[in-house]
Each structure stands twice: as structure tokens, then as C-alpha cells.
DNA sequence: ACAAAAGTGTTCAGAGTACACCCATGT
DNA sequence: ACATGGGTGTACTCTGAACACTTTTGT
């Protein structure tokens, strides 16, 4: 550490940096949160977000990806930095600055892997947020607000779905995120005109006799609209 | 530090935490950035954001307020956390995690104080951002994007104006932030119908013979619209 | 009288919203 | 034949966007 970085004050000291992950998924048409139940004191029995410390030789964003991978086995996941939580007394064990990240994962595809990898992780309903330990409840609340805001202007709903999906599935994702019913005719109209969907000839017959057409994302339009913003004002 | 916080890995070590401030103001109808010119090596001569380290016994947000105060003499300023910049090699002097904050200040009211307090601070045009040291350019770019985004949906333009202001001043603030001309008739119509403005009987005669009416913010509507969001889609 | 900024209305196009019925198919 | 979810179209309202002239008053 060179001289110009030497603290300006006596009371400037290095502190631990942690990453906490708010992981969203959808199960049974409801928005869920991936957490684990602490088994050790303090706070045994409380629910906790998935978190770990940042290593000195890795960037915070690398740490976030590593931590997500270590705890869920998943890579290449939609992940976004939420906020830095820096109350000096947020962790009774000592000074820890936490950087919170949130991510969206495709539950149906991947949920098997969690059970293998991680001890006590489980999906909880978002109305159990108050049971979270430390300031994790605050983190999760903010993440939900952020997700909802984002969902209204960026086409992130897709991140929660498998490659091929039906319009109804997409609609249900948005209903789950925004937590209110959406008119299916207006939804179809808008999405089909958006250029975001590539219609396939295949049908998914698992939910009805008639079967419903499958779609893929149009990655190109997706990229463009991600930047420009697109109003999902439902 | 209690046992449960002991690092899970050898290479988890505490690190310095800094706050860097992106401070926006408006001068001559242009959006400006408050920076200072480094005089010491390394990077002497480069422009730098205002930043300092976080103390162990203060929260990160407290640090942000303290640092803004120490460097500008200003308190009770609109301030918002932007992002945590955590590249492991972002500072060649050692591992420093930076939390960037941005704020809006009323230049005309307060600009005297800066000159007194701080050595080498000055306002620069936002197209000189590339001259900033380290990753400060990245920070400032992100802050501007954030400010513009925010300005479109929250009535933050007011934060850059004195208590009493004319509609033209408000319009110019938005033109400065969004960096494009705005139709004054549509702007007036919308703002006057928004309930955000309390018309005063006074006129400001400094800019024209006719004089233009002064307004105050309606704090109540302001609070409400800050939460609900309000589209300044100009 | 004139210069300089303040103030004022209307029309048009596009987007969101509300709303109800027929279609295809497996059993 | 019928039950189940899939798919479709229209009318109304609201909001944003474009656009040019009159008013006030100090000099």
C-alpha cells in the first residue's frame, strides 16, 4: 500500500466486505426467494440470505458470481448490483460492509441442483421477508422494489423462463412479479407487436388439449430494448 | 470480531472502504460536475472526484454526508447512493472498495462556500469526464445516466433550484439535465397541472421587463409524487 | 415605438385500457 | 358432447408532441 493511500485519519481502518445475494425464482405462479436457515448461533433458526466475504484478489462482482456459484451451482445468471449496506452496527460480530446483489433464475430447469449442493437452502414466499436475519429483510424489500421497477421498463421477465415458453407462462411471470392480474389480450397484443418474441411452430400440450404455441426470445430486440427501455406498463 | 465472522478463506482480508461523490450543479444553463485537480503523484494534474475513506465507527451513508460536508461545507443535500465500485485493481495503491454517491446542489446559493473551504475544487463541464482519474470517469458516466433516468420519473429537478424560482428556470434545469430542448408550452401545461407548484404573487424582474412569476414547491405533492413516480417525459 | 422575454390553446397521433366471445382438441 | 385452456378485435380515453402568436413593460 503506497503512501498516498495511508489513512487520513486514525480511525480509518480496513473492514470486511461481504456479498449477499437476493435470488428470485418463480414457483407455483408466485415470486419466491432463495434463503437458508442458519443452524449456528447467533441467530440460529433465522432465515438468511446467501452471502460470503469478498477475497482480496477478486473484484466485488467476481465475488458475487463466485458466491452464487458456490451456493447454487449456477453460472451465467442474470445478476445485478442492488445497493451497498453499510451501517456500522449492521452485524453485531464486527464491521462488515455488505454489497447486495439480486438475480433471477429459472426454477424449473435448475432446482434440482440446489438440493444437491446446498445444505439448507430453500425457497420461501416473499411475505416471509420479515423473518430474515440482520438487515437482510431490508435488502430483500429493496430488491423487490427494484425488481418491480425494473420489470416495468426492461424486458427482464424472460430471465425467469426457459428458452422456449408460452405466452401464458410469460404472463404469469409478470403477474408474479407485479403481484396483480394482467389482461391477457392486451398483454398478447403488446408482446407480439414488440418484436421480442420469435414464434415457433411447436406447441406445448402439457397444460391444455388444444396446446399453446411456444416462443423464443429475440435476442437482438431484447438487447436493444434492454438499453432503450421498454414500458411494460400493465 | 466473534468467531462466526472469522474468514471462511485464507484470502478473505479486510479492505479499505472509500466514498466518492459525484456532485452535480447547474451553471450557465449547463450541467456541471464538481471535481478537484490532484497535485500529488500519482496522477498529479488529473481531475478527481471528491472522496475519502470511511471510518470504522461510522456508517457508509454517514461517511458520505461527512465527506460532502468536509469538502464543500454543505449539509442537508439531496444525495443518493449510486453504486459500489469494487474492481480489485481499481486503485493501484492497494485494495479499496469505493461506494459512489451522487448529489444535486444549488449552485447560485452556495458556490461561495466552496472556494473558501476547498483548495482546488472546481466545476467542469460533463464532457470533460474522460479526464477523471482511476475509475472516476466510469462513476461519473453512470451517475449521469442515473440522474437522467431519475429525472424522467421523479421530480428531482427542484433540488437544483432555490426555494423560489420561475418556470423558465425549472425548464432550463431539465434542459440541462436531459441535454435537449423542451417545448415551453407543453412544459408549463404539464407542470402547472401537476400540483407540484405553488404560484406566488411575486415576480422576478431580473431577466425581463415584463417579469415572470415565482413559484415554490408543493412539498406534499412532491413527497407523494416522489414515491409514486411522475413522468417528466419531455 | 420597439425590443425582449413571458405567457397562452388547439389539433393530431399513438398507447393504454376495458371488455366478451369463438376455437381446437382430448376424453 | 363437453370441458378446458388458447386465442382473437374494437371502441374509448388519455397523454405526449407539434406548433405560432399576443402580452407586458422598461428604455
Amino acid at each position: 500500500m503506497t503512501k498516498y493511500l495511508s489513512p487520513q485519519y486514525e480511525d480509518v481502518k480496513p473492514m470486511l466486505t461481504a456479498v449477499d445475494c437476493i435470488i428470485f425464482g418463480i414457483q407455483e405462479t408466485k415470486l419466491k426467494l432463495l434463503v437458508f436457515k442458519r443452524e449456528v448461533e447467533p441467530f440460529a433458526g433465522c432465515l438468511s440470505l446467501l452471502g460470503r466475504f469478498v477475497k482480496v484478489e477478486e473484484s466485488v462482482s467476481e465475488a458475487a458470481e463466485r458466491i452464487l456459484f458456490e451456493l447454487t451451482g449456477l453460472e451465467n445468471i442474470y445478476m445485478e448490483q442492488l445497493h451497498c449496506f453499510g451501517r456500522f452496527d449492521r452485524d453485531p460480530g464486527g464491521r462488515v460492509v455488505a454489497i447486495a446483489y439480486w438475480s433471477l433464475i429459472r426454477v424449473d430447469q435448475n432446482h434440482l441442483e440446489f438440493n444437491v449442493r446446498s445444505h439448507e437452502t430453500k425457497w420461501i414466499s416473499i411475505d416471509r421477508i420479515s423473518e430474515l436475519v440482520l438487515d437482510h429483510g431490508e435488502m430483500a424489500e429493496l430488491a423487490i422494489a427494484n425488481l418491480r421497477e425494473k420489470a416495468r421498463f426492461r424486458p427482464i421477465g424472460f430471465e425467469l423462463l426457459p428458452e422456449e415458453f408460452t405466452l401464458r407462462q410469460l404472463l404469469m411471470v409478470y403477474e408474479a412479479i407485479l403481484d396483480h392480474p394482467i389482461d391477457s389480450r392486451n398483454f398478447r397484443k403488446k408482446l407480439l407487436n414488440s418484436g421480442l418474441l420469435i414464434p415457433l411452430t411447436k406447441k406445448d400440450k402439457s397444460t391444455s388439449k388444444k396446446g399453446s404455441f411456444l416462443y423464443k426470445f429475440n435476442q437482438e430486440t431484447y438487447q436493444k430494448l434492454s438499453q432503450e427501455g421498454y414500458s411494460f406498463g400493465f
Side-chain angles (χ1 to χ4, degrees), chain A:
Chain A
M1 191 149 307
T2 61
K3 174 145 171 293
Y4 87 100
L5 268 187
S6 64
Q8 294 104 326
Y9 305 96
E10 289 285 327
D11 38 8
V12 167
K13 302 239 170 61
M15 37 191 103
L16 286 173
T17 306
V19 166
D20 288 308
C21 300
I22 298 102
I23 301 169
F24 293 111
I26 291 193
Q27 273 184 332
E28 295 143 25
T29 79
K30 288 286 173 195
L31 189 61
K32 304 274 179 160
L33 208 56
L34 189 66
V35 299
F36 73 95
K37 195 171 202 161
R38 283 182 72 97
E39 289 179 324
V40 293
E41 289 298 340
F43 314 121
C46 281
L47 299 174
S48 169
L49 293 176
L50 280 59
R52 287 279 191 274
F53 293 113
V54 178
K55 302 182 187 183
V56 240
E57 80 285 2
E58 72 184 348
S59 299
V60 174
S61 59
E62 287 164 7
E65 284 173 24
R66 171 181 60 80
I67 290 164
L68 187 67
F69 178 72
E70 286 178 6
L71 296 172
T72 67
L74 296 172
E75 282 179 293
N76 300 318
I77 292 294
Y78 181 91
M79 202 168 191
E80 191 157 326
Q81 188 184 306
L82 176 65
H83 196 78
C84 164
F85 289 79
R87 280 217 322 272
F88 72 92
D89 58 353
R90 57 173 291 281
D91 191 319
R95 183 70 198 259
V96 180
V97 172
I99 321 297
Y101 281 76
W102 60 272
S103 40
L104 300 177
I105 67 180
R106 304 179 169 90
V107 178
D108 306 320
Q109 270 187 320
N110 305 117
H111 77 285
L112 289 173
E113 307 189 40
F114 304 132
N115 302 335
V116 180
R117 290 251 177 185
S118 36
H119 0 274
E120 275 294 319
T121 66
K122 59 176 178 179
W123 292 99
I124 60 163
S125 159
I126 58 169
D127 41 53
R128 291 182 62 193
I129 278 178
S130 56
E131 297 172 40
L132 289 164
V133 86
L134 302 181
D135 53 1
H136 289 192
E138 224 181 301
M139 292 179 182
E141 289 290 1
L142 188 62
I144 289 173
N146 220 265
L147 168 61
R148 293 204 169 126
E149 184 80 8
K150 205 104 194 173
R152 287 174 55 196
F153 298 106
R154 315 275 152 174
I156 52 170
F158 303 108
E159 303 289 346
L160 287 154
L161 288 171
E163 272 229 26
E164 306 188 341
F165 54 91
T166 66
L167 265 171
R168 174 153 302 261
Q169 283 179 296
L170 185 60
L171 182 138
M172 289 193 317
V173 165
Y174 275 93
E175 286 186 329
I177 293 176
L178 302 174
D179 196 30
H180 65 70
I182 296 171
D183 183 280
S184 75
R185 282 165 296 184
N186 294 334
F187 187 81
R188 293 183 105 81
K189 206 190 317 168
K190 189 160 180 185
L191 266 289
L192 291 174
N193 288 331
S194 70
L196 278 166
L197 302 179
I198 301 173
L200 304 177
T201 47
K202 286 185 278 180
K203 282 194 167 195
D204 168 28
K205 295 226 172 186
S206 64
T207 52
S208 77
K209 334 261 186 188
K210 189 179 175 183
S212 57
F213 280 109
L214 289 165
Y215 296 85
K216 284 203 307 186
F217 324 120
N218 184 331
Q219 285 296 342
E220 253 178 83
T221 318
Y222 179 64
Q223 295 297 341
K224 208 174 60 188
L225 292 187
S226 290
Q227 282 164 21
E228 293 174 9
Y230 178 71
S231 168
F232 286 86
F234 294 107

